[in-house]
Amino acid sequence: MEKELWKGNEAIAEAAIRAGCNCFFGYPITPQSEVPEYMSVHLPQAGGVFVQSESEIAAINMVYGAAGAGMRAMTSSSSPGISLKQEGISYLAGAEVPCVIVNCMRGGPGLGTIQPSQGDYFQATRGGGNGDYRTVVLAPSNVQETVDFVQEAFDIADQYRNPVMIVCDGLIGQMMEPIEWRPVPRRDLPPKDWAASGRKGRDHHNVINSLYMAPEDCDRHNQHLEEKYAAIAENETRWEEVDCRDADVIITAYGTPARIALTALETLQAEGVKAGLFRPITLWPFPQEALRRLAERPNVKAFLDVEMSSSGQMLDDVRLAVEGRRPVRYLGHAGGVMPTVEEMTASVKAVLKEVQ
Amino acid sequence: MAIVYQKSPGLTDAELHYCPGCNHGIIHKLVAESLVELGLLDEAIGVCPVGCAVFAYNYFSCDMLEAAHGRAPAVATGVKRTHPTQAVFTYQGDGDLASIGMAEIVHAAMRGEKITTIFINNAIYGMTGGQMAPTTLIGQKATTCQSGRTAEQAGMPIRMAEMLSTLDGCVYAERVCVTDIPNITKAKRAIKKAFEKQMNREGFTFVEVLSTCPTNWGMTPLQAIDWLKTRMIPYYPLGVIKDTGAEVK
Ligand SMILES: Cc1ncc(C[n+]2csc(CCOP(=O)(O)OP(=O)(O)O)c2C)c(N)n1
Ligand code: SF4
Ligand SMILES: [Mg+2]
C-alpha cells in the first residue's frame, strides 16, 4: 500500500472520520489544536458535526449527550484540558456511554509547558474523576500506530460501552511520519438499543444515567462495571516485547521513550550488552501478567523503567507486576526533556553493574 | 362516562418524590402535556439536572439523559446537533443553571442552540438542604446566609431570563409561575410556544418558572405561594422578556 506523509494530530482526526466518527467537540490547546482544526473542515464534509465548545468541560458533556444519544463521538485535548474533562469522563464511565478521548500530553503540573510529556499516566490509568471506574487507555508510539488505534478505539468503546482514551505525547501529535491507511478489522458490535435517541415507537423510554441512590443498587452497578473491566483486561491487554528472550536487563517504556529505547537496544547490542524492551500498549489494562512472567525468567536480572515524567508513574505498575522479584530502577525527565539514547545505555549498564 | 381529566402520557406511572407544596410536579406536568399536545413525545429527548429534579428521568416518559451538575445545556447541545429534527430540552434548577452551569447555559444561548430550557427558580438550593442560590433574594435566609442574604457579601440576585435575552441566539424568554390556574395556563402557553419556536429552528428558547420550596423556605405550602407572589414576583417580574424570530405558524 502507498505511504502518505501525515502530521500526527491531523492523522488522528482523519483516522476518526474514517472510523465513522459522527461528531467532534473540542477546545483549543497546544499541542493538539490541529485535531479540532482538521475536524472543523473535514468532519462536516463527511456529514458529521463539529462544535468548538466554550471549555473542555462543555466538550466532554457534548460528547456525553451525542454518544448517549447513540452517536460515535470524540473529543481531544492536552493535559490541562484533560484535567477539566475528568468529571465528564467519570459520568461517561458510570453511565456506560462509549466515546473516544485523545490526550496529546504536555508537561505539568499546572500550566507546565507545551512540550511533550508523559505526566498524565496516573490520571489516565487511575481515573482522574471520582468513583471506581476504568477507561481503556491505548498508548501508541508512532503515528502509524496512533492512526490504527484511533480507528479501533471506536469499536472497543462500542463493544464494552466504555470510554477509550488514547494517550500520545505532544511529540507524536506534532511529528510528521509516513503512514499507510490500513483497513482496520471491524468488530461485530451489539446494537445501541440503550441510546436515548427518542422513543420512536419503542415501548419503554431509555435513560442515560449514573445515579443509583439505593446503596445496594449502586453496589450492584459497580459490580457489573467490575465484571466488564475484568472482561476488558482478559480480551484487550496489549504489549510488545523486543529482545527479551535472553536479556539481562529489560527496559520498560511506552510511547516516545519506547521508540528511543529501540535505538538504545541496538547500541547496547553492539557493545555486547543483552538488553530488551517491554512496551505496554494498553496502559489500562496494564500487561501485568506478561511482565510478571518476564520477572520470573532466570536470565532477567533487573528492570529499568524510562518515562517522560520526573519521578515515574508507570513505574508503580511495573513494580506491582515485578513484585520485588527483581530490582526496578528509573530514568526519566519531565517538562519536555527527552531521555536520550546515551542516558538509556548508561543507565542499563549501571543497573547491570549493580546486580552483578 | 366521559373522561374529563387524566394523567398525561408524557409522564410515567412513577410516584413523584417531591415535597408537599413543591411546584416541580406541576411544572413536570406542563412540560409533559406540551410535548404530547405538540406531537413531540415520541421524538423528544430530555436532559435532567442535578438538583431536586434529578429523578425527572423517572417521571418523563420520553428518552432522558441525566447530566452532571450544571452541564445539561452542553449535553443537550451534543444531542441536538446530532438529532437536529428532534425536540430537545433541559430542565434545570437555579443552582444548577445560574451558578455551576453558568458557562454552559450562556454559551448554549449564544450559539442559538435549538433547544428549550425550563429553568426552575426557587431562590434556593433545594436538594442539598436550603443553601443560598444566586437567585436567593436580599434578606432571604438560607443555611449559608443565616441572617439573610446581603448584597455586600453575595451580590444582588441574578435575573437569568433578562440576562440571556441580551444574547442574539436567544429568541424567546418568558418568566412564569404556577401559583394558580390563570398562571398555570400562562406557563403552559409559554412552554408550548418555546417548543414550537424550537421546532421552527428559530434559536434558543428559555422559560423561567418561579417555583416554591416550602421545605427549605420553612413555610407551609400556602405560605410559600404567598411568599412567591409577594416577594419573588416584584424582583422577578412575570411576562415575555424576549420574543423574536419568525412568527410560529
Ligand atoms: C459537582 C457537584 N457539586 C455539588 C453537588 C451537590 N448538589 C446537588 S444538588 C445541588 C443544588 C441544586 O440546587 P438547584 O439547582 O437550585 O435545584 P433545586 O434542588 O433547588 O431544584 C448541589 C449543590 C453535586 N451533585 N455536584
Ligand atoms: S426540597 Fe424544595 S425543591 Fe426540593 S422537592 Fe422539596 S420543596 Fe421541592
Ligand atoms: Mg433551586
Side-chain angles (χ1 to χ4, degrees):
Chain A
M1 209 181 273
E2 252 176 53
K3 292 221 171 194
E4 295 175 13
L5 197 59
W6 279 82
K7 185 175 192 170
N9 282 337
E10 294 183 345
I12 287 171
E14 176 62 24
I17 295 172
R18 290 182 188 225
C21 171
N22 306 106
C23 46
F24 179 93
F25 307 97
Y27 187 85
I29 183 169
T30 308
Q32 68 81 51
S33 293
E34 294 85 359
V35 183
E37 283 166 1
Y38 188 95
M39 283 296 196
S40 73
V41 178
H42 296 276
L43 188 53
Q45 284 171 3
V49 167
F50 168 84
V51 179
Q52 177 171 329
S53 60
E54 61 270 31
S55 68
E56 289 86 351
I57 297 176
I60 195 75
N61 282 284
M62 290 175 189
V63 165
Y64 179 90
M71 294 290 124
R72 283 201 146 177
M74 175 178 173
T75 184
S76 69
S77 189
S78 180
S79 310
I82 297 291
S83 294
L84 280 183
K85 291 187 197 291
Q86 293 305 323
E87 175 195 49
I89 295 172
S90 169
Y91 277 72
L92 285 153
E96 296 189 87
V97 176
C99 67
V100 175
I101 302 149
V102 175
N103 182 4
C104 200
M105 291 186 281
R106 60 186 251 184
L111 213 41
T113 167
I114 58 171
Q115 300 303 324
S117 152
Q118 295 182 320
D120 303 346
Y121 182 95
F122 285 154
Q123 191 191 51
T125 59
R126 268 58 178 168
N130 61 299
D132 295 313
Y133 74 92
R134 297 290 188 177
T135 51
V136 179
V137 184
L138 293 164
S141 71
N142 56 45
V143 178
Q144 179 69 61
E145 247 186 6
T146 309
V147 159
D148 295 345
F149 289 174
V150 167
Q151 298 197 73
E152 205 183 342
F154 285 95
D155 273 22
I156 298 174
D158 282 348
Q159 181 174 339
Y160 298 99
R161 284 187 62 180
N162 208 68
V164 174
M165 186 181 278
I166 294 175
V167 294
C168 50
D169 52 72
L171 189 80
I172 294 171
Q174 292 299 320
M175 175 168 63
M176 284 188 97
E177 276 196 298
I179 57 160
E180 277 177 10
W181 289 104
R182 300 175 183 154
V184 172
R186 288 269 167 265
R187 301 184 180 202
D188 248 343
L189 297 173
K192 294 189 176 179
D193 52 8
W194 45 265
S197 52
R199 279 176 68 168
K200 298 174 184 160
R202 204 188 316 112
D203 65 2
H204 60 280
H205 71 148
N206 281 345
V207 174
I208 299 297
N209 175 39
S210 60
L211 177 63
Y212 295 86
M213 278 298 266
E216 299 75 20
D217 290 348
C218 197
D219 187 33
R220 207 174 303 119
H221 176 59
N222 271 280
Q223 280 169 17
H224 157 70
L225 292 179
E226 282 310 320
E227 282 160 22
K228 181 170 86 173
Y229 300 148
I232 296 174
E234 177 76 25
N235 303 333
E236 308 295 341
T237 307
R238 290 185 211 181
W239 70 96
E240 187 191 16
E241 293 178 21
V242 181
D243 296 340
C244 288
R245 286 230 147 262
D246 60 347
D248 288 324
V249 178
I250 289 179
I251 296 175
T252 53
Y254 70 98
T256 296
R259 206 164 164 182
I260 300 170
L262 290 176
T263 312
L265 293 191
E266 282 172 21
T267 311
L268 287 163
Q269 220 161 36
E271 294 176 28
V273 180
K274 286 192 250 171
L277 169 69
F278 182 86
R279 174 170 79 97
I281 295 174
T282 49
L283 303 185
W284 192 89
F286 187 80
Q288 187 149 3
E289 283 308 313
L291 189 55
R292 191 195 317 274
R293 282 196 297 274
L294 277 185
E296 281 166 353
R297 292 170 68 99
N299 60 291
V300 176
K301 309 206 168 43
F303 290 87
L304 174 71
D305 183 56
V306 184
E307 297 173 51
M308 281 149 64
S309 143
S310 56
S311 54
Q313 298 192 8
M314 185 174 78
L315 180 61
D316 281 13
D317 281 333
V318 171
R319 286 198 171 126
L320 281 169
V322 171
E323 269 188 319
R325 290 179 181 88
R326 300 287 184 275
V328 178
R329 298 293 175 258
Y330 182 69
L331 165 68
H333 294 289
V337 179
M338 308 262 173
T340 62
V341 170
E342 293 70 35
E343 283 179 309
M344 284 193 204
T345 54
S347 296
V348 166
K349 285 186 222 165
V351 170
L352 198 56
K353 202 165 160 197
E354 180 192 330
V355 294
Q356 269 170 350
Chain B
M1 240 195 314
I3 297 171
V4 290
Y5 182 83
Q6 62 182 351
K7 183 178 67 64
S8 169
L11 296 171
T12 65
D13 290 334
E15 204 173 305
L16 299 184
H17 71 284
Y18 298 112
C19 307
C22 176
N23 284 170
H24 268 303
I26 301 173
I27 304 161
H28 280 21
K29 183 183 99 134
L30 300 183
V31 173
E33 285 177 354
S34 301
L35 289 173
V36 171
E37 287 164 25
L38 294 169
L40 298 173
L41 185 68
D42 209 35
E43 297 272 308
I45 304 168
V47 185
C48 330
V50 172
C52 278
V54 69
F55 294 120
Y57 56 77
N58 283 333
Y59 307 141
F60 289 116
S61 67
C62 57
D63 280 1
M64 299 291 294
L65 297 96
E66 161 51 34
H69 199 18
R71 317 298 178 216
V75 173
T77 298
V79 175
K80 183 71 182 198
R81 291 289 182 116
T82 54
H83 298 74
T85 62
Q86 291 175 240
V88 176
F89 68 95
T90 72
Y91 185 106
Q92 302 178 255
D94 43 4
D96 192 80
L97 182 141
S99 189
I100 196 166
M102 184 60 99
E104 284 77 13
I105 193 66
V106 168
H107 283 269
M110 181 207 79
R111 290 189 302 266
E113 295 297 341
K114 278 90 187 157
I115 62 172
T116 296
T117 290
I118 311 294
F119 170 50
I120 313 305
N121 178 357
N122 58 9
I124 201 100
Y125 281 33
M127 181 172 235
T128 39
Q131 295 82 10
M132 182 182 66
T135 44
T136 295
L137 295 177
I138 295 299
Q140 183 188 341
K141 288 181 178 146
T143 59
T144 48
C145 55
Q146 300 197 6
S147 335
R149 175 175 179 158
T150 62
E152 195 193 4
Q153 222 265 334
M156 292 298 285
I158 194 157
R159 296 185 183 94
M160 284 307 302
E162 285 82 349
M163 187 185 132
L164 294 175
S165 290
T166 64
L167 300 168
D168 292 344
C170 173
V171 294
Y172 180 63
E174 181 164 351
R175 187 179 289 114
V176 296
C177 69
V178 293
T179 47
D180 47 50
I181 301 293
N183 275 305
I184 290 175
T185 308
K186 275 189 207 158
K188 170 123 170 239
R189 209 180 297 142
I191 292 168
K192 268 178 101 162
K193 185 162 184 188
F195 275 109
E196 281 175 322
K197 288 173 90 70
Q198 176 192 160
M199 297 319 285
N200 234 13
R201 300 197 56 74
E202 290 176 37
F204 176 77
T205 53
F206 187 79
V207 180
E208 175 169 341
V209 189
L210 302 183
S211 185
T212 53
C213 180
T215 303
N216 289 302
W217 292 354
M219 296 177 195
T220 66
L222 285 178
Q223 285 170 334
I225 286 184
D226 189 56
W227 191 85
L228 188 154
K229 284 181 168 165
T230 55
R231 295 288 313 279
M232 283 185 85
I233 292 176
Y235 191 82
Y236 298 113
L238 302 181
V240 176
I241 290 141
K242 187 173 187 185
D243 185 2
T244 61
E247 274 309 300
V248 179
K249 280 136 228 157

